[in-house]
Amino acid sequence: MSDGNELAGKLQAAWRRARGIAVDIDALRPLSSGASSNTFAFEAVASGLHERCILQLDAGGESFVSALSKSEQARAQQAAFAAGVRTPEVLLCVGADDGLADGFVSRFVDGETLGKRIVGDSRYADARRALPQQCAQALAGIHALDADALAFLPLRTATTQIAELAARHRHYGENLPVFEAAFAWLAGHPPPARAPCVIHGDFRTGNLLVDDDGLAAVLDWELAHRGDAMEDLGWLCMRSWRFGRDDLPVGGFGRRAELHEHYERASGTAVDPAAVHFWELLGTLKWGVICQWFAHRRLRGELRHLEPAVIGRRVSEVELQLLDLLEGRGP
Amino acid sequence: MNRFANRPHHDELAAALRESLRTLIARLDGTARFELRVALNAFEILEREAAYGDAPADAERERLAALLAQDGSLDELRGELCARLRDGRASPDDPALLTTLRAGVLARLAIDQPDFKSLPLSGDRP
């Protein structure tokens, strides 16, 4: 409890510094701790103010690709919020000056993130009907952000991503012919060059906060970068985020034609289905190399739990997904 | 199945362990429940792998030898196929290559995750 009091005191001081008012910090509680973030919920209370908030602090863990710092993540998220994208408003950034890890406070938004419930529960039937259009609009909004104003976002093209993945994969020293076939296919089918725009980078079921009306907020901006708009569309369609609804390629809730049509209407940009397919295949390969990354960190003893070892055995699932994509199977 | 050890035999002891883990999982919640489910999953992978024995590796070696028209150990043949895919001597569009790879992947999935199925052909993909 004293840890909680100490954190509350630091938050109170940070709030006064950043927003110029004294608030009480109530109901502070940890929500989750992951490799990259420790997340807390709290309420900021003053006369005329009662704000439910989320605090995310850097957890110092290793991430697969160089993720954004929390303050960069906050800048990207706030730019999206200011442009009207449904994402939690950033209220203040915190850091060393506050005696805290790098982090930020955002407004709490209520909803569900568990993929299985979003794609399956009858409660979300109306939400599922609304989600393809809402996701298309959110993506169009993100892709229309001023990339020059967010120039700190790393540029990640197809070429740089393939090179990064290949280096990772070969470093593990496992000969996986299916992965090599995927690398060879990607090298032979590069998408046409497009002007780089702001990409969310992890726009998928699981990172979408959903309520009864559909998309309430886009979360987890730590993989935001600049690149090909089609990347976000391909990533959203990966089988790994369908949570069993393999017949509905868009996040387990929608069809490709709906997503593409709404995206074109919202963005004024034509969808290139071949490029979306390319990025879906690249994303699937990336997930496969991430499975290897978990397994090898466990094998080196950097991780101690059983789960990363078992994740290594999900490589075969990814191999089948890659073959399905190479053979044009699936909806 | 090895009948050298006393009762319960391998499969009987495995069944008792599986039942015990399932009972514990039903009693637990939160992180402990999740971790035990992962443990049960790992145990079932090991059981399937033991039951298949050397047959999947032998079959894979023979398939690769036929595809590559050369002999070698499984590791050597996998390495050779990867090398050919990297330098363009093998193509990811070759139906014979894809058929060979698919057979190997399905055999691995039979160990790792037998419920994970291939998607049907067709659909509204471009």
Side-chain angles (χ1 to χ4, degrees), chain A residues 79-147:
Chain A
F81 175 83
V85 175
R86 288 181 196 184
T87 192
E89 181 181 4
V90 176
L91 300 172
L92 59 138
C93 286
V94 301
D97 290 350
D98 308 300
L100 292 166
D102 187 33
F104 65 94
V105 173
S106 58
R107 208 183 287 278
F108 171 82
V109 180
D110 204 2
E112 179 62 74
T113 58
L114 280 179
K116 198 104 202 142
R117 292 193 190 146
I118 291 168
V119 308
D121 279 10
S122 57
R123 169 178 178 175
Y124 297 109
D126 289 342
R128 286 193 288 274
R129 273 189 285 279
L131 274 168
Q133 181 173 8
Q134 291 167 336
C135 287
Q137 287 167 342
L139 285 170
I142 294 165
H143 298 162
L145 293 173
D146 181 358

Side-chain angles (χ1 to χ4, degrees), chain A residues 40-268:
Chain A
F40 302 83
F42 70 92
E43 293 170 25
V45 183
S47 68
L49 175 85
H50 193 136
E51 193 72 70
R52 294 175 76 187
C53 301
I54 296 291
L55 168 68
Q56 292 180 68
L57 294 175
D58 184 73
E62 189 189 340
S63 40
F64 179 71
V65 290
S66 46
L68 299 178
S69 70
K70 285 283 175 265
S71 52
E72 291 170 330
Q73 193 181 327
R75 281 171 70 190
Q77 182 170 330
Q78 185 56 19
F81 175 83
V85 175
R86 288 181 196 184
T87 192
E89 181 181 4
V90 176
L91 300 172
L92 59 138
C93 286
V94 301
D97 290 350
D98 308 300
L100 292 166
D102 187 33
F104 65 94
V105 173
S106 58
R107 208 183 287 278
F108 171 82
V109 180
D110 204 2
E112 179 62 74
T113 58
L114 280 179
K116 198 104 202 142
R117 292 193 190 146
I118 291 168
V119 308
D121 279 10
S122 57
R123 169 178 178 175
Y124 297 109
D126 289 342
R128 286 193 288 274
R129 273 189 285 279
L131 274 168
Q133 181 173 8
Q134 291 167 336
C135 287
Q137 287 167 342
L139 285 170
I142 294 165
H143 298 162
L145 293 173
D146 181 358
D148 292 332
L150 297 169
F152 64 90
L153 293 175
L155 179 65
R156 292 207 178 105
T157 64
T159 314
T160 63
Q161 295 199 34
I162 291 169
E164 206 174 323
L165 276 186
R168 286 269 195 175
H169 168 63
R170 300 208 170 117
H171 171 74
Y172 298 130
E174 284 184 84
N175 283 317
L176 301 185
V178 177
F179 281 23
E180 287 302 341
F183 277 119
W185 188 90
L186 290 169
H189 299 79
R194 287 179 173 244
C197 63
V198 176
I199 304 298
H200 180 276
D202 201 7
F203 193 103
R204 61 170 173 93
T205 306
N207 284 339
L208 305 175
L209 193 74
V210 171
D211 63 18
D212 294 347
D213 300 319
L215 182 63
V218 180
L219 306 178
D220 284 345
W221 292 78
E222 68 184 34
L223 297 178
H225 56 273
R226 289 174 298 134
D228 180 349
M230 297 300 111
E231 179 183 351
D232 273 336
L233 275 70
W235 186 255
L236 174 60
C237 292
M238 277 169 53
R239 190 174 172 190
S240 298
W241 327 132
R242 295 181 201 164
F243 296 91
R245 287 307 306 263
D246 290 329
D247 54 323
L248 295 172
V250 180
F253 50 73
R255 297 180 194 288
R256 289 175 198 274
E258 294 175 87
L259 178 73
H260 294 183
E261 189 187 314
H262 289 301
Y263 181 84
E264 289 183 347
R265 201 170 299 150
S267 68

Side-chain angles (χ1 to χ4, degrees), chain A residues 254-302:
Chain A
R255 297 180 194 288
R256 289 175 198 274
E258 294 175 87
L259 178 73
H260 294 183
E261 189 187 314
H262 289 301
Y263 181 84
E264 289 183 347
R265 201 170 299 150
S267 68
T269 311
V271 170
D272 177 351
V276 175
H277 178 66
F278 171 93
W279 283 106
E280 184 177 341
L281 206 147
L282 198 163
T284 304
L285 182 58
K286 187 187 295 179
W287 169 234
V289 179
I290 290 173
C291 291
Q292 287 193 293
W293 177 67
F294 276 111
H296 283 265
R297 288 167 79 207
R298 180 66 183 79
L299 292 169
R300 289 195 300 263
E302 293 168 22

Side-chain angles (χ1 to χ4, degrees), chain B residues 1-6 9:
Chain B
M1 192 58 70
N2 174 11
R3 289 284 184 258
F4 171 73
N6 300 328
H9 292 308

Side-chain angles (χ1 to χ4, degrees), chain B residues 14-81:
Chain B
L17 175 56
R18 202 176 282 118
E19 193 182 320
S20 166
L21 287 173
R22 285 201 182 115
T23 308
L24 282 169
I25 287 166
R27 263 190 232 152
L28 293 168
D29 51 25
T31 313
R33 180 188 176 98
F34 174 76
E35 286 180 3
L36 214 53
R37 283 172 68 129
V38 175
L40 176 60
N41 184 25
F43 173 67
E44 291 187 326
I45 291 172
L46 289 172
E47 278 290 280
R48 289 189 292 265
E49 192 164 354
Y52 282 110
D54 295 333
D58 294 343
E60 173 91 323
R61 203 202 62 78
E62 277 168 33
R63 277 191 300 268
L64 292 180
L67 179 76
L68 298 167
Q70 78 176 52
D71 212 1
S73 71
L74 179 56
D75 277 353
E76 287 163 353
L77 294 173
R78 274 192 185 152
E80 172 65 18
L81 180 52

